[in-house]
Amino acid sequence: MKLYEFAPTRSIRARWTLQELGIDFEATTVNLVAGDHRRPEFLKINPAGKIPVLVDGDLVLTESVAIVLYLAEKYPDKGLLPSDRKQRAQVNRWLLFAATELEQPLWRISRHTALYPEDQRLPGDVVLASREFKEMAAVLNEHMRGREFVVGESASVADFVVAYTLDWGNEVHLLDAFAELTGYVKRMYARPKAPPRIAEAFASLEQ
């Protein structure tokens, strides 16, 4: 099994799942700063030019949420997906919540503060996206009251995806008002098999 990754990105979700599963995998860094994701050899693997990518035999799988679900389903004995149908539906609910309601505003902020050329950035959209993220973070903050994990009594792939996404929000200073969420992120990243947080992953690139 091979994971194409770049440390500070959504690759963290896939790496986290692999590490929690305790399975051997080969990690290959695709340096986005150096433009490795646009090289012909990588575009043959993922024509979208994005990471992470998981290769398992003849399966080439992109999209971090699809990857974590595949891994959890491949190793059901590890318990990263609940067997109960209703609880699994809740896992899917929060995976989609993270990918749509939380992640999309964060992408807009990233694009209009760093990724787009300066003359194409829209500062007004940063304000709107920040507000939208906080509105949805408030929903999750309320959900997490009295809970250790997003769904059920043990960690699932929903936690790895949600915790990473919240850490991204923390990087742009949008979690300060949400005590439940900041505590949850700290707990999740304190797990023995957790990957580095985003700030630590960025720092490692400078070494």
Side-chain angles (χ1 to χ4, degrees), residues 5 22 26 29 50 60 72 99 102 112 120 133 136 173 195-196:
E5 63 177 353
E26 177 186 351
T29 297
K50 295 185 177 183
V60 178
L102 297 178
H112 291 294
Q120 295 179 20
F133 177 89
M136 294 298 100
H173 311 291

Side-chain angles (χ1 to χ4, degrees), residues 46-97:
N46 183 7
K50 295 185 177 183
I51 51 166
V53 180
L54 182 77
V55 178
D56 186 14
D58 61 356
L59 173 69
V60 178
L61 190 59
T62 65
E63 303 300 330
S64 61
V65 173
I67 290 170
V68 302
L69 282 170
Y70 168 76
L71 290 169
E73 290 173 354
K74 181 171 182 175
Y75 301 96
D77 58 308
K78 300 292 187 178
L80 294 185
L81 272 180
S83 56
D84 177 78
R85 183 178 299 175
K86 291 181 179 179
Q87 284 208 320
R88 185 169 300 202
Q90 290 295 330
V91 166
N92 290 337
R93 169 199 177 189
W94 290 109
L95 286 170
L96 290 167
F97 184 90

